[in-house]
């Protein structure tokens, strides 16, 4: 009787039902975000946001002036302690769930079944990119960009279909994209996703629409580039290296994208656990999707253009990274492409499940497994590591005498510290299976932030320890330790992680 009522409510109010279920499920699966810790940039931002008068310069130089404003507000006004960062991470979870709800609603309008739409929309919340957004407060702005630009894609579809208020919707979409580029470039191309969903599920692909999208990208990116150059001139700053555009290498970067980035994305949440098995499953599903498209549309006149679009739209969603001089791979910058590949794989299993009940059961088991692995990725390979590191360093830093100390020397671990000492076997980019204190710029602000929190808790005035009297070295580096306190972070962290 109760199950019948629940099914009735879901059918009558699917969006509300999915919103509640997905939020609760996402929080339970990612409960580790409520631990006390700061990861990478957050260690620096929470200390420098309202102390450094040039705090926003780095963001302006990187072409993200509005992100500088957001970070200064979050870390300079909202968050006073590292414990406060959990609320920023909670905000990121809520933003990500809203993005998932938006996709769920759009898929329902495209006539996808309720439970299939719900499963796919929730699976989006489990891909590695979103695990990073939940656990790393410095990426909390990305879910906002995803929400805004998915909506921009939806109204752009309406504009290209020449519905009412076509011009208004076109410029509304254009403004959203340009403003978002000034916050975080890599997430903006999510506006392409509604087009792909629509083309695949409704079979209304047209070459004219594809060309219109390319023109829209050209216009929006060109306007943004002009704004970036003007802002650099206005503030009298030099652009950072990552803003250098390298169009000559673009064809080579696109080819490498299919062998490097796509290879990583095919594994979905299996990047750390059973990566070979998930590589095989992911590749089979990905290629199977294109084979099914071939079987369905090989007789149509636009078949070649449609297949080409489905293949080329992947690097197109990664365009801000491909034209940049940066050449590293990470989950936080690749969410739009990750969502599309997941959609291709899901659509393949969806079609198979419609023909065979056994395959339907298998696909559901696979979906549940992906969800479980996502939870392990975040709680074991991220938040657990960060909270243990934070606890160990906080304890060590609080024991350092300040009054008569002339200089503090920190001996930092290597980037692969956890793998070097066999605490963790797997890692991914600089996000999963890594600590923060391996970066040379982390110990200084973290020490002063923890010093401030300790003195504030005692009701004492919190004056920072002069940063010019704090030095960070590798173990092999030569340093003069006379009249200095030497803190070996390697030994501290080895003791902490050896307790497991």
């Amino acid at each position: 009787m109760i199950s019948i009522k629940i099914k009735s409510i879901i059918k009558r109010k699917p969006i509300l039902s999915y919103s509640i279920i997905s939020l609760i499920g996402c929080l339970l699966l990612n409960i580790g975000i409520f631990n006390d810790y700061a990861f990478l940039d957050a260690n620096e931002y929470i200390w420098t946001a309202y102390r450094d008068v040039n705090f926003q310069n780095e963001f302006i130089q990187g072409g993200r002036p509005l992100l500088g404003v957001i970070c200064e507000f979050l870390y300079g006004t909202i968050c006073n302690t590292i414990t406060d960062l959990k609320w920023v991470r909670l905000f990121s979870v809520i933003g990500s769930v809203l993005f998932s709800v938006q996709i769920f609603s759009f898929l329902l309008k495209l006539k996808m079944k309720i439970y299939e739409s719900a499963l796919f929309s929730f699976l989006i919340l489990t891909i590695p990119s979103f695990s990073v957004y939940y656990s790393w407060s410095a990426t909390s702005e990305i879910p906002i960009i995803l929400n805004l630009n998915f909506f921009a894609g939806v109204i752009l579809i309406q504009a290209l279909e020449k519905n009412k208020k076509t011009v208004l919707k076109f410029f509304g979409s254009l403004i959203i994209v340009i403003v978002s580029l000034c916050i975080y470039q890599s997430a903006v191309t999510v506006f392409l996703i509604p087009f792909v969903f629509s083309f695949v599920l409704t079979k209304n692909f047209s070459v004219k629409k594809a060309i219109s999208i390319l023109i829209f990208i050209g216009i929006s990116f060109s306007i943004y580039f002009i704004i970036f150059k003007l802002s650099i001139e206005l503030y009298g700053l030099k652009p950072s290296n990552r803003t250098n555009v390298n169009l000559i290498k673009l064809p080579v970067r696109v080819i490498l994208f299919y062998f490097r980035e796509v290879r990583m994305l095919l594994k979905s949440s299996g990047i750390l656990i059973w990566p070979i098995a998930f590589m095989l499953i992911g590749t089979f599903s990905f290629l199977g999707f294109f084979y099914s498209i071939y079987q369905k549309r090989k007789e149509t006149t636009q078949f070649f253009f449609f297949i080409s679009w489905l293949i080329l739209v992947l690097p197109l969603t990664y365009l801000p990274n491909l034209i940049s001089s940066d050449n590293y791979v990470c989950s936080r910058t690749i969410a739009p492409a990750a969502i599309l590949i997941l959609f291709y794989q899901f659509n393949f299993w969806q079609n198979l499940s419609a023909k065979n009940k056994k395959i339907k059961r298998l696909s559901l088991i696979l979906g549940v497994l992906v969800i479980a692995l996502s939870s392990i990725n975040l709680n074991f390979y991220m938040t657990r590591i960060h909270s243990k590191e934070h606890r160990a360093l906080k304890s060590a830093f609080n024991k350092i005498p300040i009054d008569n100390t002339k200089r503090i020397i920190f001996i930092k671990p290597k980037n692969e510290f956890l793998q070097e000492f066999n605490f963790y076997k797997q890692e991914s980019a600089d996000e999963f299976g890594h600590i923060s204190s391996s970066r040379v710029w982390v110990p200084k602000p973290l020490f002063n932030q923890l010093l401030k929190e300790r003195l504030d808790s005692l009701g004492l005035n919190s004056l920072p320890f002069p940063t010019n009297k704090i030095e960070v070295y590798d173990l092999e580096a030569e340093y003069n330790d006379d009249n200095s306190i030497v803190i070996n972070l390697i030994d501290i962290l080895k003791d902490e992680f050896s307790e497991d």
Side-chain angles (χ1 to χ4, degrees):
M1 188 68 179
I2 296 176
S3 62
I4 294 174
K5 287 184 177 180
I6 293 175
K7 289 180 180 178
S8 177
I9 293 173
I10 291 174
K11 287 183 179 180
R12 285 189 287 109
K13 299 182 178 180
I15 296 176
L16 177 61
S17 300
Y18 175 75
S19 301
I20 296 171
I21 293 170
S22 60
L23 178 59
I24 295 173
C26 197
L27 288 173
L28 290 175
L29 288 167
N30 303 291
I31 196 70
I33 66 168
F34 293 106
N35 293 334
D36 287 346
Y37 68 85
F39 183 49
L40 291 181
D41 306 68
N43 289 288
E44 181 182 17
Y45 293 166
I46 196 169
W47 175 253
T48 61
Y50 73 94
R51 293 178 176 84
D52 185 356
V53 294
N54 298 316
F55 177 76
Q56 293 191 26
N57 286 0
E58 177 187 350
F59 299 94
I60 296 170
Q61 291 173 299
R64 301 171 179 174
L66 295 182
L67 179 57
V69 176
I70 294 171
C71 286
E72 186 168 358
F73 174 72
L74 280 179
Y75 296 96
T77 305
I78 300 297
C79 298
N80 295 313
T81 67
I82 288 176
T83 298
D84 292 337
L85 295 178
K86 67 178 64 174
W87 305 117
V88 179
R89 296 191 290 267
L90 175 60
F91 173 78
S92 185
V93 170
I94 294 172
S96 298
V97 169
L98 288 175
F99 174 66
S100 176
V101 171
Q102 195 178 175
I103 288 180
F104 175 71
S105 176
F106 185 74
L107 292 175
L108 289 182
K109 291 177 182 177
L110 295 178
K111 308 301 181 184
M112 184 184 282
K113 295 177 181 178
I114 291 177
Y115 293 103
E116 291 176 343
S117 300
L119 178 57
F120 173 72
S121 300
F122 192 79
L123 284 173
I124 286 175
L125 295 173
T126 69
I127 61 178
S129 297
F130 284 85
S131 295
V132 173
Y133 305 155
Y134 308 148
S135 58
W136 188 359
S137 59
T139 63
S140 62
E141 76 284 350
I142 299 179
I144 301 173
I145 304 302
L146 295 176
N147 275 287
L148 289 173
N149 286 272
F150 189 89
F151 174 72
V154 172
I155 62 175
L156 183 58
I157 288 176
Q158 297 170 357
L160 296 180
E161 289 175 349
K162 298 183 179 179
N163 291 342
K164 293 180 180 179
K165 300 180 181 179
T166 294
V167 176
L168 184 62
K169 289 178 178 178
F170 179 85
F171 280 103
S173 181
L174 185 65
I175 290 171
I176 290 173
V177 170
I178 293 171
V179 170
S180 299
L181 283 167
C182 293
I183 301 175
Y184 198 86
Q185 302 91 337
S186 300
V188 169
T189 50
V190 79
F191 75 83
L192 292 166
I193 289 178
F195 285 95
V196 178
F197 289 174
S198 180
F199 290 160
V200 173
L201 297 177
T202 65
K203 303 179 181 179
N204 65 350
F205 173 78
S206 71
V207 176
K208 185 177 179 180
K209 280 186 181 179
I211 294 174
S212 298
I213 294 169
L214 294 175
I215 293 172
F216 178 83
I217 292 174
I219 294 172
S220 57
F221 277 51
S222 296
I223 294 174
Y224 160 73
F225 189 72
I226 293 171
I227 292 173
F228 165 61
K229 287 296 184 182
L230 290 175
S231 65
I232 288 293
E233 290 296 325
L234 178 65
Y235 287 92
L237 300 171
K238 292 182 179 180
S240 62
N241 292 333
R242 71 169 59 181
T243 62
N244 293 331
V245 177
N246 197 334
L247 295 177
I248 296 176
K249 292 185 178 180
L250 182 59
V252 176
R253 294 283 296 273
V254 169
I255 294 171
L256 289 176
F257 167 81
Y258 290 105
F259 291 95
R260 193 173 62 158
E261 282 85 349
V262 169
R263 185 167 174 264
M264 178 185 76
L265 296 179
L266 290 174
K267 303 172 189 176
S268 187
S269 292
I271 56 170
L272 298 168
I273 303 174
W274 306 319
I276 296 176
F278 272 83
M279 182 65 190
L280 294 174
I281 295 171
T283 303
F284 171 73
S285 307
F286 182 72
L287 296 178
F289 165 78
F290 285 97
Y291 180 74
S292 65
I293 293 293
Y294 167 75
Q295 289 291 87
K296 291 178 181 178
R297 306 198 186 194
K298 60 184 177 182
E299 304 299 333
T300 61
T301 55
Q302 292 186 334
F303 166 73
F304 172 77
F305 296 105
F306 182 57
I307 287 288
S308 299
W309 164 261
L310 293 175
I311 294 173
L312 293 176
V313 74
L314 293 173
L316 203 59
T317 62
Y318 198 57
L319 186 62
N321 301 82
L322 293 178
I323 62 178
S324 170
S325 59
D326 277 343
N327 195 30
Y328 62 89
V329 182
C330 58
S331 296
R332 61 187 176 273
T333 63
I334 204 168
I339 293 169
L340 282 188
I341 288 182
L342 178 65
F343 175 70
Y344 292 173
Q345 294 169 327
F346 183 87
N347 185 263
F348 168 72
W349 287 101
Q350 183 184 19
N351 291 331
L352 286 183
S353 298
K355 302 174 183 178
N356 190 303
K357 289 186 177 180
K358 290 183 179 180
I359 293 180
K360 185 176 183 179
R361 294 192 194 98
L362 178 61
S363 62
L364 287 174
I365 292 172
L366 186 60
V368 171
L369 184 58
V370 167
I371 292 170
L373 290 180
S374 169
S375 182
I376 294 172
N377 289 344
L378 181 136
N379 293 299
F380 185 74
Y381 284 94
M382 297 191 79
T383 60
R384 182 172 180 269
I385 292 172
H386 308 334
S387 58
K388 285 176 71 68
E389 179 187 25
H390 175 72
R391 182 169 60 248
L393 296 186
K394 182 177 181 179
S395 176
F397 289 177
N398 285 346
K399 295 175 182 177
I400 299 176
I402 301 300
D403 296 338
N404 299 318
T405 300
K406 294 184 177 180
R407 191 168 63 137
I408 299 174
I409 294 176
F410 290 116
I411 308 300
K412 76 174 188 67
K414 296 179 180 178
N415 288 347
E416 295 77 22
F417 164 79
L418 295 174
Q419 290 72 39
E420 179 184 2
F421 293 100
N422 297 315
F423 296 123
Y424 284 75
K425 292 183 179 180
Q426 303 293 339
E427 57 85 30
S428 179
D430 59 350
E431 299 156 332
F432 297 90
H434 285 281
I435 55 175
S436 299
S437 53
S438 61
R439 275 56 170 187
V440 69
W441 42 267
V442 166
K444 288 185 181 182
L446 178 59
F447 173 76
N448 267 322
Q449 176 63 29
L450 292 176
L451 174 63
K452 171 188 176 298
E453 292 182 16
R454 174 161 59 99
L455 295 178
D456 286 350
S457 68
L458 297 173
L460 303 174
N461 291 328
S462 54
L463 297 175
F465 194 85
T467 54
N468 63 345
K469 294 184 179 180
I470 304 176
E471 298 180 24
V472 182
Y473 293 100
D474 292 314
L475 182 62
E476 296 82 3
E478 294 184 2
Y479 54 88
N480 182 3
D481 62 351
D482 293 339
N483 299 318
S484 302
I485 292 180
V486 179
I487 308 297
N488 191 322
L489 303 183
I490 301 172
D491 291 339
I492 294 170
L493 293 174
K494 282 174 67 176
D495 290 342
E496 179 68 25
F497 283 94
S498 295
E499 292 179 1
D500 295 339

